[in-house]
Amino acid sequence: MLDRSLEANASLAGLMTGLLDLVVDDDPDVLDAKVAMLESFGCGVRTAQTAERVAALLRERVPDIVVSDHHLGEGLSGLTLLQGLERSHPAIGGILITADVSDEALRAYAAPEKPVLYKPVDLDALKQALDDVASRRAGSAVERIGT
């Protein structure tokens, strides 16, 4: 199913080409699936399974968008990660992915500029979230240049 969906969405790649995404998930199989989804849109993708790896990648190059699972292990949550990145790197867009629909903190984070996607993640929903976050980032950059 994923392969057929990826082929059907290959035409969307031009919209995402050039974005650098950081995908954070502690499950290697899920990480691989998310990478395949993002690469099908034309995104450059780096991955991290730990907070240490996230920090190392941020020192190398700040991504455009971080797509993070909520439950990351090691006492780290994707929500905490994205909130920290929001403070330290406000230009980074964040997308949180979770299967947990009961957490009040997740609902508080969810806003048009802070999408939360619920598992199983649909390719179209992920593409729309990426489009929305990328559009807001581009609009913010234009506003900063114009002032």
Side-chain angles (χ1 to χ4, degrees):
M1 164 110 176
L2 181 61
D3 290 335
R4 190 173 65 237
S5 296
L6 292 176
E7 289 172 14
N9 282 288
S11 64
L12 302 172
L15 299 172
M16 300 292 150
T17 300
L19 281 181
L20 177 64
D21 296 329
L22 172 58
V23 180
V24 185
D25 200 304
D26 62 338
D27 182 325
D29 293 332
V30 173
L31 195 62
D32 289 345
K34 289 176 185 173
V35 168
M37 287 178 169
L38 293 168
E39 286 178 344
S40 78
F41 299 143
C43 298
V45 183
R46 295 184 302 164
T47 62
Q49 292 182 283
T50 65
E52 293 79 18
R53 178 74 176 143
V54 170
L57 290 172
L58 286 172
R59 284 190 297 273
E60 292 173 14
R61 182 171 170 204
V62 176
D64 298 305
I65 298 173
V66 175
V67 179
S68 180
D69 189 49
H70 178 50
H71 296 287
L72 296 172
E74 297 182 10
L76 179 67
S77 76
L79 179 62
T80 302
L81 172 72
L82 291 176
Q83 288 172 330
L85 289 174
E86 196 173 84
R87 287 188 295 277
S88 64
H89 298 83
I92 296 176
I95 298 171
L96 187 67
I97 297 177
T98 186
D100 187 355
V101 296
S102 64
D103 193 335
E104 276 299 314
L106 291 177
R107 286 193 289 277
Y109 181 79
E113 70 278 3
K114 301 175 185 178
V116 175
L117 300 178
Y118 294 94
K119 294 178 182 177
V121 176
D122 176 78
L123 272 174
D124 290 332
L126 178 59
K127 188 238 173 264
Q128 184 63 56
L130 286 165
D131 274 348
D132 293 347
V133 171
S135 294
R136 274 190 294 285
R137 288 185 76 256
S140 294
V142 168
E143 287 175 16
R144 285 192 302 272
I145 290 169
T147 57

